[in-house]
Amino acid sequence: MKRLILGFSFINIFAFFYPNLSNAQDTYQRNASADVRGYIFNLTLNDENNEINGEALVTVAFKNEVNTFALDLIGKSENYGMEVTHVFEGENPASYSFNQNKIKIVPATSGEKTRTFKIEYNGVPERGLVIDTTKFGQRSFFGDNWPNLARHWLPSVDHPYDKATIEFRITAPDHYDVVATGEKIEESYLEDGLKLTTYKEPAPVAMKVVTIGVTKFATRLLDEVYGIPVTAWVYPENRLDGFSDYKVATNVLKYFIDNIGPYSYAKLANMQAKTQWGGLENAGTISYFENSVNGKNEVEGLIAHEIAHQWFGDSASENDWNHVWLSEGFATYFAILYQENVYGDTKRKEELLLDRKQIIDYYQKNPSPIVDPTITDPMKVLSVNTYQKGGWVLNMLRHKLGDGLFWEGIRTYYKRFRNANALTADFQKVMEEVSGENLDTFFQQWVFTEGYPEIQSDWSYASGKTKVSIKQLQKHHTFQFPLEIGIVQNGQLVLQQIKVTSKDQEFEIATKAKPDAIVLDPETWLLFAEKN
Ligand SMILES: [Zn+2]
């Protein structure tokens, strides 16, 4: 779940980048040949001011030619931003420039395809690393990168297309507890009241979902799930409430591992944090808003959403911001699937009816498809379309294919794109392979076309036959879909499935007597608006 608080705008074109990969619609300028394989960030934090001192070791594998590449970093202007003091290639000073928030590095001439560069920098981050106090007045440092704020404090390829392993080496006053993406591999008390804490994540991660948390924490191991430690990191003032509220993460993790496939990260920490979002699905170190913790188990749906992202968004990531429904729509629907598993099918219907209402309201003001290539700012890709409508697409796909094929397709998709990137066409291809069905019409109308069917229905009965007429009133497109019709007779509801393929159709259903009522889609499988 993400909720926007601040606006953001961005920039930049360099001639030596590919203008855009095929299928890619967002405006990020990708490196033509350089593929970042690993980052090591040495960061020094202090209590006197909000300046950070950084040293980034960036290992780059060049796919073909070894040529100039760029890293994102917000440069200094007035009070905020970073200054770069040195850039090295191995031990030698590297040729580089730093302007317009890009560090352009020119590698030395050599045949070596894999190189490590070191960037030394310092400054006060305006965003991305939130240096503030908790609601209890304790000084705190929290990474909050989504979608592209890592560049405020970490020189990096700040786009999910290029994922890399990451190590955080955090040096901070020794009264702080430090958590970060990865497994803790070192905690050492240094001289001058400082402590070094190192975390290392061997799976490749996108910069949008890496984080650190540095403050006073109460920490508890909630359980291990198939060897994955599940922990809670909460403010000491919220210790027992937090441990209690975050405990459900263990059930959620087990459900997703059992149903989707292996978890990708070293641990699963659940962290109370200062974040601009309700929750942020940082890989293996999820941030939840400060007031998520009250001991009343009110955030189970949020926890399920963020943990679902570990598979979808974090491990199988969108390759392009315009396909973010592969992250948010999936997290929305998989949180519903988890809750359906715990609380029954009534819960699925309840959630989807609420979402359907939101989709209809949203469409009145914003008639646009889920994948909307006109959006170029990644902050604007989050909407009812990419969350609720994306979730609804999966609900309809499940109904179309049946539970068995739906889950087999989901598992296959995850297996194929685990620790990698995908576009909608990749997901469609997997679902087609698994089901043997052509799903062009399905994906075109639900993902790439705006709106949904607006249905006007009528019925009549004569001599053992009930005639049902279905009209689609929307002008822009004719949708094709299976529709369940509930025939109500003497308090009993009987389901009949029909296939709607045109704007105006009539169906005959054999019934012994005149029905008491006809109900469209009583089991909540179709996204539509019912019109009088
Ligand atoms: Zn989300």
Side-chain angles (χ1 to χ4, degrees), residues 1-2 279 281 305-306 309 327-328 331-332 387:
M1 189 166 299
K2 299 193 200 75
E281 66 269 20
H305 178 105
E306 303 310 339
H309 268 308
S327 173
E328 295 304 348
T332 300
Y387 281 72

